[in-house]
Amino acid sequence: MVGGHCCLLFYCPHGENHTCADVVSVRLSCIQDDSEKQPVEAKVVFSLIGQVELQNPVYIAQSEACSFDPCSQSIEQDFRRDALERSSVKLKDDYLTVRCDVMVCNTNPRDDDDDAAATITKARLPNICRDFNILFKTEAGADVTFEVGGNKLATHRCVLAARSKVFMAQLFGPMKEATAQTGVIHIKDMEASVFRALLSFIYTDSLPSMEEDNRQEVEASEDEMSRVVEQGQEDEEVIENEIWLQWLQNLLVAADRYDVQRLKCTCEEQLSEHISVRMVMSTLGLAEQHHCQGLKEACFKFIQVQPPSCLQAVMATDG
């Protein structure tokens, strides 16, 4: 397809007719499928490639910019067989490849065509993650419900099973009948916000933002906040950052629990990039427990470069 037109590339090893036996012809033609389509300006380069794996083309012709539409003549190039035999094209098993590069100069000269092209381009962009996110939020057609921390989340068992082997076993394995009878699966030892974030990643394949109910933990720790607020705004931001890191740790645990490896790797990368003195030991313990070798090495490297004063602070933390 060139500028919205369907094109054919012809290679005639003995020319267009019997009178051109000593000529090899290459021609690019446009199929007249819609006379209302606007013409496009294009440049065409023909080349021959002897060995495809080397991709070393020998250019044989280059056209100037020309009108290229179903009503125009074909763009073609003839060259003598003996000239081809003397060229640097090296055949492999008596085969060569004809390559045609087409550079479109202006595909839609009119404004309305620009708008139409933009609409088509936008429509072709992948929207499956956005559509599945809408499906997750609207709960349309949901057929399985999870209850965690007093909150109920309606989901689609086929989506969960396709993304997690654990959910596959739970929803379509031996536990399927028990689930069908109650209609609700109870999740223990996990915060509702963390499980919701796990489901969001399963539907959208992207790490969600920490929700507001997670941030409320900052307000819940008023004693700790009041202790550091006098030291400046920076400490307040540090506490909030640690809440986010704790949320990432919990999300990593959830990803490992339900075998969502992509989410686990994403959490591991984020934790590796945001290691802090107060969180390094808990992160190291998490990495050891859930077999995150990369995160474990990142923690060791962080500790190794700390000055003695920071090492004392690390030693004073839990874990």
Side-chain angles (χ1 to χ4, degrees):
M1 297 298 295
V2 179
H5 301 289
C6 185
C7 302
L8 294 178
L9 179 63
F10 293 92
Y11 173 74
C12 304
H14 301 288
E16 291 286 352
N17 51 61
H18 66 280
T19 62
C20 303
D22 58 344
V23 174
V24 177
S25 177
V26 180
R27 174 166 50 90
L28 186 68
S29 298
C30 190
I31 298 178
Q32 189 170 353
D33 53 353
D34 188 351
S35 59
E36 295 182 358
K37 287 184 177 179
Q38 296 295 317
V40 297
E41 296 294 318
K43 292 184 178 180
V44 179
V45 177
F46 296 108
S47 57
L48 299 178
I49 302 176
Q51 299 184 38
V52 177
E53 63 272 14
L54 298 180
Q55 284 293 308
N56 184 24
V58 175
Y59 295 101
I60 57 176
Q62 178 173 344
S63 72
E64 298 296 330
C66 57
S67 180
F68 195 64
D69 62 44
C71 299
S72 67
Q73 297 180 350
S74 301
I75 301 175
E76 60 182 281
Q77 176 68 28
D78 297 331
F79 54 99
R80 296 181 58 84
R81 177 179 296 275
D82 54 358
L84 172 61
E85 294 175 349
R86 292 195 304 268
S87 70
S88 58
V89 175
K90 297 183 181 299
L91 300 183
K92 182 179 181 180
D93 299 328
D94 252 0
Y95 284 93
L96 58 81
T97 297
V98 178
R99 171 172 165 173
C100 178
D101 294 294
V102 181
M103 182 179 70
V104 178
C105 303
N106 59 326
T107 55
N108 294 291
R110 298 184 308 175
D111 293 338
D112 54 348
D113 287 340
D114 290 338
D115 295 338
T119 302
I120 294 175
T121 302
K122 184 177 180 181
R124 288 176 177 174
L125 294 176
N127 288 325
I128 186 171
C129 294
R130 184 200 66 182
D131 296 338
F132 269 75
N133 187 39
I134 295 174
L135 185 67
F136 173 57
K137 291 183 177 180
T138 60
E139 301 179 352
D143 54 2
V144 61
T145 301
F146 293 89
E147 184 174 347
V148 50
N151 297 284
K152 290 187 177 181
L153 301 170
T155 60
H156 307 78
R157 64 179 66 230
C158 288
V159 176
L160 303 186
R163 300 276 284 163
S164 165
K165 295 180 181 179
V166 176
F167 278 127
M168 174 66 79
Q170 188 176 26
L171 299 173
F172 293 96
M175 298 178 59
K176 177 181 178 181
E177 295 183 359
T179 303
Q181 293 177 358
T182 61
V184 177
I185 299 178
H186 297 275
I187 304 298
K188 299 179 180 179
D189 302 327
M190 187 178 300
E191 297 176 1
S193 58
V194 174
F195 188 72
R196 189 182 298 111
L198 170 70
L199 295 179
S200 177
F201 183 89
I202 287 177
Y203 277 82
T204 65
D205 203 41
S206 60
L207 184 66
S209 301
M210 188 173 65
E211 297 180 357
E212 187 62 30
D213 50 358
N214 287 274
R215 300 184 185 277
Q216 291 176 355
E217 296 181 16
V218 178
E219 300 178 359
S221 56
E222 293 181 355
D223 294 339
E224 186 176 14
M225 186 68 72
S226 60
R227 177 176 59 82
V228 300
V229 71
E230 297 179 356
Q231 302 176 20
Q233 181 68 22
E234 181 179 357
D235 288 330
E236 183 176 348
E237 294 176 356
V238 169
I239 294 298
E240 186 170 356
N241 183 63
E242 290 179 0
I243 295 296
W244 175 70
L245 291 175
Q246 181 63 54
W247 178 77
L248 273 180
Q249 291 180 354
N250 295 336
L251 192 56
L252 185 147
V253 174
D256 190 40
R257 175 175 171 179
Y258 286 95
D259 194 22
V260 185
Q261 292 300 317
R262 182 173 171 83
L263 175 58
K264 181 181 177 182
C265 292
T266 302
C267 293
E268 184 177 356
E269 291 176 356
Q270 290 291 319
L271 289 170
S272 298
E273 296 174 358
H274 298 86
I275 300 175
S276 65
V277 171
R278 295 176 56 178
M279 299 290 292
V280 62
M281 294 312 299
S282 61
T283 302
L284 179 59
L286 188 74
E288 176 71 20
Q289 183 178 358
H290 295 276
H291 310 289
C292 302
Q293 185 62 30
L295 181 58
K296 184 177 178 180
E297 293 176 358
C299 291
F300 281 134
K301 290 181 180 179
F302 177 85
I303 295 174
Q304 287 174 347
V305 299
Q306 298 306 309
S309 59
C310 289
L311 287 177
Q312 293 295 328
V314 171
M315 295 293 292
T317 60
D318 294 336

